[in-house]
Amino acid sequence: MSFDHSGRVALITGAGSGIGRATALRLASEGAAVAVVDIRLDAAEETVAAIAAGGGTGVAFDADVRDRSEVESARDGAVNAFGHVDYLVNNAGLVRMSPLDELAEDEWDLVLDTNLKGTYLVTQALAPVIARAGRGAIVNLATIESEVVVASTGHPQVHYNASKGGVKMLTKALAVELAGRNIRVNAVEPGAIATSFIPGGDLRSPEAWESMKDRLLVPRVGEPEDVAAAISFLLSDDASYITGAMLPVDGGWLTR
Amino acid sequence: MRLEGKVAIVSGGGTGIGAAAARRFAREGAKVVVTGRRAEPLERVAAEIGGRAVAGDTADAHHLAEAVQVAREAFGGLDVVVANAGLGFGGAVADVDDERWERTLGVNVTGAFRLVRAALPSLLERGKGSIVLVSSTSGLVGGPEGAAYQTSKTAMIGLARSIAVDYGPKGIRANALCPGWVVTPMGDRSMEGLMVRLGVSLEEAYRLATRYIPLRRPATADEMAACCLFLASDESSMVTGTTLVADGGGLAVDVAELGWAEESP
């Protein structure tokens, strides 16, 4: 255990897989009770089972972050289960790839509504609850693609870049507005992280490493646990003077 | 214990952020060598944490080599370097004489460069290491009458990036920490102008200087030490070549320096 989150309650969206799941497991191992929210209840329940297997506390909720009433139900469920909420991790997100000429309006809406509007909706639902706890912290999931267009993949994704650029500025604006309620708001910016999030392949494969090694300044691709560690730090009291900040967890991708 | 078995050098380790980092690192299991100009505070910190004190001028290459030597001989190697030693003189370009300019750049930039250069062979021997350069939000945004200081703190960010690119593939990470206002002896000195001009207490001067910052207060040295710890530890093993901004939200708003600027002559 690195950071002490005993007595704290975290609500994490998209916690049924990838970075959200790793964050849920990590915070639970550091003493937090976790409201595991995912659009798929079975995935959320699997994460809760893994938390329980490690001796931690979690409860599963299904919610689509695009849907205010589902978000509010999950929030109310978390408050009923744990009495309060101190931390929020806005992790739910998705990526789609389409060149501009073929990008359907529905797909634009899906990406923007999930990644950007979802972050707004969940934060709006949770901020008053976190404020009631006296103090708290929020971490949003931005990405290196909040800063640069990673064109080398050949996968055009104007909607994804726009949504994650939006998350960056939303993070800063929320940090300014919520400081008065003693809530810090920061974002992590993952780079190449080996999760099923990125279509088209296993980043741990030798072929993927071959194509990536010259872009990275560390000798491996990132794991969900690397991002979970940064999120745990930003939520913890060790980061009590950090708000409105972007923390790349990218193996130096943005350095050059 | 997040630095169990690690050896660290912290420059400017006698007071302020450096002393807080040395203490925190020791609590997390590290063996720490503190360096700085004045022997007395260094020795006090070293005695308290079971570390070693090496007094000398950060602009003096021999002193830095000695610090690395002490880390190797007393603790068997080196894993973490916190280049924290720094100083600041006020003044717009026209007000800064050569001596102050060179002293500022000499300690803040050349001192950090030489410390890292002296430490690199030992870090490379381990195959893994973390370097934390204590820069400032002054390295990222402008402010009134701090030409030499701002230049030096900006340069430290460039230095961190350069180290990250060149030595990352060899296992060395480098990041810059960018604090805003921190309550330290150096911060106290920065408040003197405000205190005299407005006839206010030190505490009130800090309050005025940070009143537009979202968190509405300066940082403590311990809070910055916690950031150094994150960057030094394996918790941040995918974090390199970046700046960790720890400023109470000051850079997220466009009025971060307003409180300070308003009170400046």
Side-chain angles (χ1 to χ4, degrees), chain A:
Chain A
M1 187 160 96
S2 263
F3 300 103
D4 185 6
H5 295 302
S6 352
R8 306 288 171 88
V9 177
L11 187 145
I12 307 173
T13 65
S17 63
I19 291 168
R21 181 178 190 275
T23 304
L25 291 173
R26 170 150 189 154
L27 295 180
S29 77
E30 294 173 326
V34 184
V36 177
V37 181
D38 201 278
I39 195 167
R40 287 175 43 213
L41 186 60
D42 60 335
E45 283 170 342
E46 195 284 321
T47 297
V48 167
I51 288 172
T57 304
V59 177
F61 300 96
D62 61 328
D64 181 338
V65 296
R66 296 172 299 171
D67 184 315
R68 180 186 297 277
S69 68
E70 289 187 21
V71 165
E72 289 175 352
S73 293
R75 173 202 61 194
D76 294 345
V79 171
N80 285 337
F82 304 122
H84 59 104
V85 177
D86 309 275
Y87 303 145
L88 166 63
V89 181
N90 280 307
N91 167 76
L94 48 77
V95 61
R96 293 289 184 275
M97 292 167 181
S98 296
L100 182 63
D101 287 348
E102 294 160 24
L103 175 55
E105 194 173 335
D106 282 354
E107 188 174 294
W108 170 275
D109 288 345
L110 172 68
V111 171
L112 269 290
D113 286 356
T114 306
N115 296 354
L116 184 55
K117 187 179 176 185
T119 300
Y120 142 69
L121 279 178
V122 178
T123 303
Q124 191 175 47
L126 267 296
V129 174
I130 298 172
R132 259 201 315 277
R135 62 177 176 148
I138 297 172
V139 174
N140 295 331
L141 268 285
T143 150
I144 54 171
E145 291 175 84
S146 301
E147 307 286 347
V148 291
V149 177
V150 182
S152 58
T153 58
H155 295 297
Q157 44 190 33
V158 294
H159 42 351
Y160 182 70
N161 277 112
S163 72
K164 289 298 189 176
V167 167
K168 174 183 172 175
M169 211 56 222
L170 177 60
T171 299
K172 293 181 184 227
L174 288 170
V176 172
E177 185 159 342
L178 294 179
R181 288 194 252 174
N182 228 359
I183 301 172
R184 296 181 298 102
V185 188
N186 295 288
V188 289
E189 297 184 318
I193 306 293
T195 69
S196 57
F197 185 77
I198 298 170
D202 174 11
L203 290 186
R204 297 185 190 97
S205 72
E207 299 76 42
W209 175 246
E210 212 38 51
S211 72
M212 211 124 43
K213 69 174 201 281
D214 293 337
R215 285 299 290 121
L216 293 176
L217 300 177
V218 293
R220 62 182 177 88
V221 295
E223 296 291 336
E225 288 73 19
D226 292 309
V227 185
I231 292 170
S232 181
F233 165 65
L234 289 172
L235 293 173
S236 78
D237 290 343
D238 269 7
S240 53
Y241 203 62
I242 302 181
T243 193
M246 304 290 121
L247 177 54
V249 185
D250 66 344
W253 193 292
L254 291 174
T255 307
R256 290 181 284 186

Side-chain angles (χ1 to χ4, degrees), chain B residues 175-265:
Chain B
N175 293 286
L177 174 65
C178 294
W181 286 115
V182 187
V183 180
T184 61
M186 191 169 144
D188 292 355
R189 283 193 295 279
S190 304
M191 293 300 140
E192 277 167 11
L194 263 185
M195 292 165 69
V196 169
R197 198 158 51 247
L198 301 177
V200 297
S201 67
L202 179 62
E203 195 180 316
E204 179 66 4
Y206 274 116
R207 194 194 67 76
L208 288 170
T210 56
R211 70 190 186 281
Y212 293 109
I213 288 170
L215 291 188
R216 301 277 191 278
R217 64 175 177 88
T220 64
D222 285 344
E223 286 176 307
M224 295 306 107
C227 296
C228 290
L229 171 62
F230 172 71
L231 293 174
S233 76
D234 291 341
E235 298 289 346
S236 63
S237 58
M238 280 300 284
V239 179
T240 191
T242 195
T243 51
L244 179 60
V245 178
D247 70 338
L251 289 192
V253 289
D254 66 351
V255 290
E257 294 282 339
L258 192 55
W260 185 244
E262 268 180 6
E263 306 303 341
S264 294

Side-chain angles (χ1 to χ4, degrees), chain B residues 5-9 77-81 122-123 126 128-131 232:
Chain B
K6 308 270 186 172
V7 181
I9 293 178
L78 186 59
D79 305 278
V80 172
V81 172
S122 302
L123 298 175
R126 299 276 222 222
K128 190 171 139 180
S130 178
I131 295 166

Side-chain angles (χ1 to χ4, degrees), chain B residues 56-240:
Chain B
D57 194 313
T58 300
D60 169 13
H62 174 74
H63 157 65
L64 298 170
E66 188 192 348
V68 174
Q69 185 80 2
V70 168
R72 295 177 66 94
E73 283 171 5
F75 303 127
L78 186 59
D79 305 278
V80 172
V81 172
V82 180
N84 164 74
L87 50 77
F89 300 106
V93 165
D95 311 320
V96 181
D97 60 27
D98 283 357
E99 190 190 334
R100 287 190 160 191
W101 174 266
E102 279 158 18
R103 181 72 183 150
T104 307
L105 277 286
V107 170
N108 297 5
V109 183
T110 310
F113 156 70
R114 285 184 175 151
L115 173 58
V116 170
R117 189 174 60 181
L120 267 170
S122 302
L123 298 175
L124 290 167
E125 230 170 72
R126 299 276 222 222
K128 190 171 139 180
S130 178
I131 295 166
V132 182
L133 300 171
V134 180
S135 174
S136 164
T137 51
S138 294
L140 295 167
V141 289
E145 300 185 17
Y149 187 73
Q150 285 168 40
T151 303
S152 73
K153 291 299 176 179
T154 307
M156 292 180 79
I157 295 171
L159 180 60
R161 291 192 192 114
S162 166
I163 298 163
V165 170
D166 289 330
Y167 297 97
K170 294 167 182 152
I172 314 296
R173 297 184 297 111
N175 293 286
L177 174 65
C178 294
W181 286 115
V182 187
V183 180
T184 61
M186 191 169 144
D188 292 355
R189 283 193 295 279
S190 304
M191 293 300 140
E192 277 167 11
L194 263 185
M195 292 165 69
V196 169
R197 198 158 51 247
L198 301 177
V200 297
S201 67
L202 179 62
E203 195 180 316
E204 179 66 4
Y206 274 116
R207 194 194 67 76
L208 288 170
T210 56
R211 70 190 186 281
Y212 293 109
I213 288 170
L215 291 188
R216 301 277 191 278
R217 64 175 177 88
T220 64
D222 285 344
E223 286 176 307
M224 295 306 107
C227 296
C228 290
L229 171 62
F230 172 71
L231 293 174
S233 76
D234 291 341
E235 298 289 346
S236 63
S237 58
M238 280 300 284
V239 179
T240 191

